[in-house]
Amino acid sequence: MDSRNERPELEPISPKPDIGETQPLLDRSPPTSNTTESQSSTKLLSTRHAFSILVSLQIGSGIFASPAQVDSNVPSPGAALLVWVAGGLLSWTGAASFAELGASLPLNGGMQEYLRYIYGDTMAFLMSWIYIMAVKPSSMAIQSIVIAESIASVLGGPTPAAEWVLKLMAITALFSMVLINSINTKTTMRLNESFAVIKMATVALVVAGGLTAFLAHLINSKTSLSGSKDWFTRNWFQSRPTVSEGHTIDWSKLGAWDMLGHYSAALYAGLWAYDGWDNANFVASEIRDPGRSLPRAIKAAMTVVLSCFELVNVAYYILLPWDTLSANDAVAVSAAKSLLGRRGGILITILVAISCAGSITSNLFSVGRLTVAAAQRHYLPAFLSGRGFPTSKKTDNTDLVSDNESSVPKTPPKIIFDAPLPANVLGLFLTSLYILLGSFHTLLLFVGMAEWVFYVSTVVGLLVLRRREPSLDRPFKPNIVVPGVFVVVGTLVIARSAVFAPVQSLVLGSLLGIGGLVGWVRR
């Protein structure tokens, strides 16, 4: 079956889709005559606006947790810093590719809508299915675990028997965030704004701590403020044993294939920290003169984010002993404790916990709306599209519209809480399940594989679209080498990690199979 026949609502294709006819999936109001005017007004965003959006999306909780996973899968600190550079460059190629799609196809819904436009409805359904059932819940599970481990680190560190205590703490933190984010949209957005400021402040404090230790050592090499002695007594590129999943890795005995698997795992951990670059497509559809301004915003944003991540990791290696960093998921807390003592550790714990809570809030907001949109598209049961508690029992929109004007109520039912409560409950259940069954390391690999299957599929679709619709207006079009590198490297990383992590691959394959079956039955 021709997949293009599955999206009749998008055909015939014009040289540039009419953005006036593109409505948000969650917008239940009919199109108005001034829709095009309001859409075009959003084109007034500048390069500076695009830059700030991209930076705030990428700097999140990952930089406080994933460095240990990168370090544990590479032989030296120098190699870890190179992995962070590679992750930043790969993310830049993805952001540039998504920016082309965002400028060419200003369709609300992001990657889901690109996949539908290029491949058809089935692929868009699979993307929604995997993100709702796996990617977002796993990401929130990781962030909840980081909160629990950060608190445990300040309290003295858990014993091996305290694993379930940590999981209980993580679920409690998750439940609290779901409860807060189920009030209304305004509360969620205010929380997001506050959390963004705290994230940047935490990054600045960690970098300042590393810089303080560096300067203190230059002034007095015997001072206790110089952090760990490893950074000025050992070779940054010399191999040393690391700890991964409780096992010590002797890098001198690893073959090339096994070493590639560890490097792939390290790259996934770094890419999870950079996650957020895929939202560049939303910027591309709204920025003024995207063909010229967007590349500037992407280059500047990726330069700033990559530099921040490099500086933070250098600070970690200055403040912490190298032999312990790979086994420490609460690396930011431990770094603060090493320089400022217990009080400093408590301060950073609070900031890291708030940063992770902010990431949970962002994920809850996005997956909740994605679930509602998927339910409205009939991808999921209709009850998952419910939002809030109306004062009237008549919540169906059809009750508010009639051919007879006199039957239209003067005021619609008042919504007390407008958050997508059924979707939030589903997210709470799935995330709690991942917390109970998974660990930081296994979930990180799982999220990476699940996300990158669709990232690569979308950029492959970009190349397909260039051949299928060469006349499509493309205000921003990077050299074909950019998406080509992304596809090749992304495919290799997915393939090797699938072999290196068979359990996660089996779970992901099972979810894709179930999703395909559900999609077939649905059709």
Side-chain angles (χ1 to χ4, degrees):
M1 174 186 247
D2 186 358
S3 63
R4 295 180 66 180
N5 292 332
E6 297 179 25
R7 48 181 177 82
E9 73 277 7
L10 294 177
E11 295 180 353
I13 299 172
S14 60
K16 187 171 181 66
D18 184 3
I19 60 176
E21 298 177 358
T22 304
Q23 295 293 318
L25 292 178
L26 301 182
D27 186 359
R28 302 189 182 194
S29 59
T32 60
S33 59
N34 63 347
T35 302
T36 304
E37 180 181 352
S38 62
Q39 286 280 2
S40 61
S41 66
T42 60
K43 293 285 186 178
L44 298 178
L45 291 178
S46 66
T47 303
R48 177 175 57 84
H49 294 134
F51 167 81
S52 62
I53 291 172
L54 289 169
V55 170
S56 63
L57 283 169
Q58 290 183 84
I59 296 181
S61 61
I63 190 59
F64 307 124
S66 55
Q69 301 301 318
V70 174
D71 182 79
S72 64
N73 285 287
V74 294
S76 67
L81 296 178
L82 291 178
V83 166
W84 284 101
V85 172
L89 294 177
L90 188 59
S91 298
W92 174 80
T93 61
S97 301
F98 269 57
E100 176 182 336
L101 288 169
S104 304
L105 304 173
L107 303 173
N108 294 301
M111 182 164 54
Q112 175 181 276
E113 294 306 307
Y114 303 151
L115 292 171
R116 175 182 291 107
Y117 185 85
I118 298 167
Y119 299 109
D121 195 61
T122 300
M123 191 67 170
F125 166 76
L126 280 177
M127 178 264 170
S128 296
W129 172 267
I130 293 298
Y131 265 64
I132 292 169
M133 302 299 293
V135 171
K136 293 299 183 180
S138 295
S139 295
M140 290 188 290
I142 293 172
Q143 291 147 4
S144 301
I145 291 171
V146 172
I147 293 175
E149 291 188 343
S150 296
I151 295 174
S153 177
V154 168
L155 296 177
T159 63
E163 179 181 358
W164 286 101
V165 174
L166 285 175
K167 292 181 181 293
L168 181 61
M169 292 169 59
I171 293 175
T172 302
L174 171 69
F175 179 79
S176 301
M177 295 310 303
V178 172
L179 196 62
I180 294 173
N181 284 275
S182 294
I183 299 174
N184 54 48
T185 301
K186 182 180 290 187
T187 300
T188 300
M189 297 309 296
R190 286 177 177 175
L191 285 172
N192 267 326
E193 293 173 357
S194 302
F195 289 146
V197 175
I198 294 174
K199 288 178 184 180
M200 297 299 296
T202 308
V203 168
L205 284 174
V206 173
V207 173
L211 181 61
T212 298
F214 175 77
L215 294 176
H217 175 73
L218 292 182
I219 297 172
N220 182 6
S221 60
K222 297 181 180 180
T223 180
S224 59
L225 295 178
S226 61
S228 168
K229 295 182 179 180
D230 290 339
W231 69 273
F232 60 85
T233 60
R234 300 174 64 176
N235 186 340
W236 282 63
F237 287 92
Q238 183 178 359
S239 294
R240 87 288 191 215
T242 58
V243 178
S244 178
E245 284 291 276
H247 302 288
T248 301
I249 302 174
D250 187 350
W251 291 92
S252 63
K253 297 181 180 180
L254 286 186
W257 181 248
D258 290 331
M259 190 171 293
L260 178 61
H262 282 290
Y263 271 95
S264 298
L267 186 58
Y268 267 148
L271 291 172
W272 180 69
Y274 282 106
D275 197 31
W277 58 262
D278 51 302
N279 288 273
N281 54 318
F282 293 106
V283 177
S285 63
E286 298 175 2
I287 188 173
R288 181 181 62 238
D289 191 12
R292 189 181 68 163
S293 300
L294 187 60
R296 295 179 179 177
I298 290 176
K299 291 177 182 178
M302 293 310 305
T303 300
V304 169
V305 173
L306 195 155
S307 300
C308 286
F309 285 3
E310 284 290 295
L311 290 173
V312 169
N313 279 278
V314 169
Y316 290 151
Y317 284 114
I318 290 176
L319 296 173
L320 293 175
W322 292 358
D323 294 335
T324 63
L325 195 146
S326 62
N328 190 345
D329 289 334
V331 60
V333 176
S334 298
K337 285 175 62 179
S338 69
L339 183 66
L340 303 175
R342 183 178 177 83
R343 291 182 179 179
I346 293 175
L347 173 62
I348 293 295
T349 296
I350 295 173
L351 294 176
V352 169
I354 294 175
S355 297
C356 291
S359 297
I360 293 174
T361 294
S362 299
N363 277 302
L364 277 172
F365 184 85
S366 60
V367 74
R369 275 65 187 175
L370 179 59
T371 302
V372 171
Q376 290 176 348
R377 287 274 188 183
H378 306 294
Y379 291 170
L380 295 173
F383 76 89
L384 289 173
S385 65
R387 295 164 65 87
F389 295 113
T391 56
S392 170
K393 292 183 179 180
K394 294 183 178 182
T395 58
D396 192 338
N397 287 339
T398 59
D399 294 336
L400 306 178
V401 180
S402 173
D403 293 334
N404 184 358
E405 293 183 359
S406 61
S407 64
V408 179
K410 294 181 180 180
T411 57
K414 183 180 179 181
I415 300 297
I416 299 176
F417 300 107
D418 66 348
L421 298 179
N424 284 357
V425 172
L426 176 64
L428 173 63
F429 171 76
L430 292 174
T431 304
S432 299
L433 189 64
Y434 282 113
I435 291 173
L436 292 173
L437 299 179
S439 65
F440 188 105
H441 177 78
T442 56
L443 289 173
L444 199 59
L445 278 176
F446 180 61
V447 169
M449 284 189 289
E451 284 184 323
W452 277 77
V453 165
F454 292 101
Y455 288 161
V456 172
S457 298
T458 302
V459 178
V460 169
L462 178 150
L463 299 176
V464 171
L465 204 59
R466 283 192 181 187
R467 180 176 180 83
R468 193 173 77 192
E469 300 179 30
S471 61
L472 183 67
D473 184 21
R474 294 176 171 85
F476 172 52
K477 184 179 179 182
N479 188 288
I480 195 172
V481 174
V482 173
V485 168
F486 183 86
V487 170
V488 171
V489 177
T491 302
L492 290 175
V493 171
I494 292 171
R496 182 60 190 93
S497 295
V499 176
F500 187 70
V503 176
Q504 292 94 321
S505 303
L506 180 61
V507 173
L508 178 59
S510 300
L511 285 173
L512 286 170
I514 295 172
L517 180 61
V518 171
W520 178 78
V521 172
R522 167 182 158 272
R523 288 176 56 193

